Amino acid sequence: ELVDGRVNVGTAGLYHLVRSVTQGLLALKRACGRPHGNLKFTNILIAKPKGLTRKQIVLTDPCPGNQLDVETHAKMDLKQLGAMIHQLVMHRNPPLVAGYQAPDSPEWQRLGRHATAWRSLCNRLLTMDVDAEPITLEQLAAQLPKIAPSRWGRVIQPVVCACLLAALVVALV
């Protein structure tokens, strides 16, 4: 609904979604030593899409362990996150062209003072397969606070999701 319905999630909503997904991927990596491997919008559950900035976000349906290539799927998760950012901002999929870079546009400018940083992050994630020095999940997590909407710097929001770990443990067993 967020993508197909052309909902404008705004900077705060985009930040919350990307930050929550990143933290979910980090939790999975730390707890199970693996990437998600099947990241897509249909595998991200949002408690209630209205008011996205305060909703709990849970990752579901990871790739089965016997079909997982850790290095390949870790890069795919990040590239897919870049595609999701592109879809939420542009309301369309990025072209399936290796090395595609999203150009500046009015859609990106709607993100305000961090528009260039969001577009740059999106482009860096989209080029995971061709970048000689691809961004890591940990680097992404460290970069996100730099592009957070101002109120996020003052308010620490809980994002620990026991449901995520429980669902993953059940899926992996």
Side-chain angles (χ1 to χ4, degrees), residues 87-116:
Q87 287 175 286
L88 288 168
V89 174
M90 301 296 295
H91 300 289
R92 62 181 172 272
N93 291 322
L96 298 174
V97 177
Y100 168 76
Q101 298 280 294
D104 193 14
S105 69
E107 291 90 349
W108 289 105
Q109 290 309 309
R110 281 189 219 126
L111 296 177
R113 67 185 179 118
H114 294 301
T116 301

Side-chain angles (χ1 to χ4, degrees), residues 76-142:
M76 284 177 47
D77 283 348
L78 291 174
K79 184 171 182 166
Q80 186 58 30
L81 185 55
M84 291 176 181
I85 294 169
H86 187 279
Q87 287 175 286
L88 288 168
V89 174
M90 301 296 295
H91 300 289
R92 62 181 172 272
N93 291 322
L96 298 174
V97 177
Y100 168 76
Q101 298 280 294
D104 193 14
S105 69
E107 291 90 349
W108 289 105
Q109 290 309 309
R110 281 189 219 126
L111 296 177
R113 67 185 179 118
H114 294 301
T116 301
W118 274 109
R119 189 171 56 84
S120 177
L121 176 62
C122 177
N123 285 336
R124 188 146 185 226
L125 292 167
L126 287 173
T127 58
M128 289 296 299
D129 53 349
V130 296
D131 194 344
E133 297 277 332
I135 190 171
T136 66
L137 185 55
E138 292 77 11
Q139 289 169 335
L140 171 61

Side-chain angles (χ1 to χ4, degrees), residues 5-131:
R6 292 187 159 265
V7 173
N8 182 6
V9 297
T11 306
L14 180 64
Y15 176 77
H16 180 63
L17 180 71
V18 172
R19 180 174 175 258
S20 296
V21 169
T22 300
Q23 289 186 338
L25 293 172
L26 278 170
L28 179 58
K29 181 177 181 180
R30 290 176 183 143
C32 303
R34 58 161 287 163
H36 186 276
N38 191 25
L39 191 62
K40 54 188 173 183
F41 278 116
T42 56
N43 290 341
I44 299 173
L45 301 181
I46 302 171
K48 292 180 184 173
K50 293 184 181 181
L52 180 61
T53 59
R54 299 196 184 271
K55 301 304 177 190
Q56 183 178 28
I57 295 174
V58 180
L59 303 180
T60 64
D61 194 25
C63 181
N66 62 349
Q67 298 174 10
L68 190 70
D69 178 289
V70 173
E71 185 176 335
T72 301
H73 283 96
K75 286 183 179 180
M76 284 177 47
D77 283 348
L78 291 174
K79 184 171 182 166
Q80 186 58 30
L81 185 55
M84 291 176 181
I85 294 169
H86 187 279
Q87 287 175 286
L88 288 168
V89 174
M90 301 296 295
H91 300 289
R92 62 181 172 272
N93 291 322
L96 298 174
V97 177
Y100 168 76
Q101 298 280 294
D104 193 14
S105 69
E107 291 90 349
W108 289 105
Q109 290 309 309
R110 281 189 219 126
L111 296 177
R113 67 185 179 118
H114 294 301
T116 301
W118 274 109
R119 189 171 56 84
S120 177
L121 176 62
C122 177
N123 285 336
R124 188 146 185 226
L125 292 167
L126 287 173
T127 58
M128 289 296 299
D129 53 349
V130 296
D131 194 344

Side-chain angles (χ1 to χ4, degrees), residues 15 19 53-54 148-158:
Y15 176 77
R19 180 174 175 258
T53 59
R54 299 196 184 271
S150 60
R151 70 181 183 91
W152 286 86
R154 296 186 307 267
V155 179
I156 298 174
Q157 299 224 347

